[in-house]
C-alpha cells in the first residue's frame, strides 16, 4: 500500500518525462538566481567598488535592454525552435555572469550586466513554448508547480549567498559569482534531454505585422516583464 508521503509526492512531482526535466532545469537555474538576487548588488559595490549610483544606472540600462530582447527572442524561438534558443540564452547568461569578476569600471559593468540581464529575459521568453508543450493536459497546474520550484530554488540560493555576505571577502564573493555562472550553465545541460519542438510555420498576414509567426508569437509580450513574475 502506498504511503501518504509517497502519494503526496506523486501528486506534486511531475511524472518522469519532459516535465520533470524542465522542472529540474528550473530548480538548478533558480539556485543561481537566488544567489545573484541576494548579493549581486553587494558584489558590485563591495568587490568591484562601483558607486551605488552607477550600479543603479547600469541596472536600469540592463532592464531596458531586457524588455526589447524578450520580444525579439520570442519571435526567434517560434521560428527556430524554443529548446535551442533557450539553451543558447542560458549559456550566454552564464558567460556574462562569469564576466562579473572582470568588471572593474562602469562601462565594463554595464556591458556584462546588460548581457546577463538581456539573456535572462530572452530565456524566459524562449521557455514559454516549452512550458506549453510539455505542461501535459493541465498546463496551468504545471506552471504553478514551476513557480513553487522557483520559490524553493531562490530561497536556497539566498541562503547560500548569505555565506558569502557573512564572510565579506572578495574571494567569497567571487566564488558566489562562479557558482551562479556554473549553475546557469548546468541548467542548460538538462535541456538536451528535452525533445525538440518544431518551429511554428509562418501564417499568411500583412507584411510587418507583429504576429506573423504563428499562434504563440505574441507570448513574449507577456513574459518580457520577468522581474515581476519571480523570474519564473
Amino acid at each position: 500500500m502506498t504511503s501518504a508521503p509517497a502519494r503526496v509526492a506523486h501528486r506534486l512531482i511531475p511524472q518522469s518525462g519532459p516535465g520533470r526535466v524542465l522542472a529540474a532545469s528550473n530548480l538548478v537555474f533558480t539556485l543561481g538566481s537566488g544567489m545573484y538576487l541576494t548579493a549581486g548588488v553587494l558584489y558590485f559595490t563591495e568587490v568591484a567598488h562601483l558607486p551605488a549610483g552607477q550600479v543603479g544606472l547600469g541596472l536600469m540600462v540592463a532592464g531596458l535592454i531586457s524588455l526589447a530582447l524578450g520580444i525579439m527572442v520570442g519571435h526567434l524561438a517560434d521560428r527556430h525552435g524554443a529548446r535551442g534558443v533557450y539553451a543558447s540564452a542560458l549559456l550566454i547568461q552564464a558567460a556574462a555572469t562569469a564576466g562579473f569578476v572582470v568588471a572593474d569600471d562602469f562601462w565594463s559593468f554595464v556591458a556584462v550586466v546588460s548581457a546577463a540581464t538581456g539573456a535572462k529575459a530572452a530565456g524566459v521568453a524562449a521557455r514559454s513554448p516549452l512550458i506549453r508543450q510539455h505542461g501535459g493536459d493541465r498546463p496551468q497546474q504545471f506552471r504553478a508547480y514551476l513557480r513553487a520550484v522557483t520559490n524553493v530554488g531562490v530561497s536556497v540560493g539566498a541562503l547560500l549567498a548569505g555565506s558569502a555576505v557573512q564572510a565579506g571577502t572578495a574571494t567569497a564573493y567571487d566564488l558566489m559569482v562562479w557558482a551562479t555562472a556554473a549553475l546557469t550553465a548546468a541548467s542548460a545541460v538538462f535541456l538536451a534531454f528535452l525533445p525538440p519542438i518544431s518551429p511554428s510555420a509562418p501564417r499568411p498576414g500583412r507584411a510587418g505585422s507583429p504576429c506573423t509567426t504563428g499562434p504563440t508569437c505574441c507570448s513574449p509580450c507577456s513574459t518580457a516583464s520577468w522581474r515581476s513574475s519571480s523570474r519564473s
Side-chain angles (χ1 to χ4, degrees):
M1 183 176 180
T2 307
S3 63
R7 289 195 299 269
V8 172
H10 178 74
R11 294 183 62 183
L12 293 179
I13 301 176
Q15 296 181 0
S16 59
R20 183 173 292 184
V21 171
L22 196 57
S25 174
N26 187 64
L27 177 62
V28 173
F29 175 76
T30 53
L31 286 171
S33 294
M35 289 193 286
Y36 174 72
L37 291 172
T38 302
V41 172
L42 288 175
Y43 177 84
F44 292 116
T45 57
E46 299 297 323
V47 179
H49 303 294
L50 294 173
Q54 290 187 1
V55 173
L57 178 60
L59 292 175
M60 182 185 72
V61 171
L64 294 175
I65 292 174
S66 71
L67 289 176
L69 282 178
I71 296 174
M72 291 188 295
V73 172
H75 291 285
L76 189 65
D78 281 336
R79 287 184 178 273
H80 300 286
R83 186 185 67 169
V85 173
Y86 183 33
S88 298
L90 288 172
L91 293 175
I92 292 172
Q93 183 182 347
T97 300
F100 291 175
V101 299
V102 297
D104 55 2
D105 58 51
F106 175 71
W107 292 112
S108 61
F109 159 67
V110 170
V112 294
V113 79
S114 295
T117 306
K120 183 169 187 176
V124 170
R127 193 186 69 161
S128 293
L130 294 175
I131 295 175
R132 288 194 298 270
Q133 178 72 22
H134 303 307
D137 54 355
R138 290 184 289 183
Q140 294 304 319
Q141 180 176 334
F142 183 61
R143 286 181 180 273
Y145 174 77
L146 289 181
R147 284 193 293 270
V149 170
T150 295
N151 292 336
V152 172
V154 169
S155 298
V156 175
L159 289 175
L160 296 174
S163 301
V165 174
Q166 185 175 19
T169 64
T171 300
Y173 278 107
D174 283 343
L175 288 174
M176 180 200 71
V177 169
W178 284 114
T180 301
L183 288 167
T184 303
S187 67
V189 174
F190 282 92
L191 302 181
F193 299 97
L194 286 178
I197 297 178
S198 300
S200 301
R203 294 190 306 174
R206 178 173 54 89
S209 172
C211 286
T212 58
T213 57
T216 62
C217 65
C218 292
S219 61
C221 301
S222 64
T223 57
S225 56
W226 52 275
R227 292 178 183 273
S228 62
S229 60
S230 301
R231 282 73 177 173
S232 58

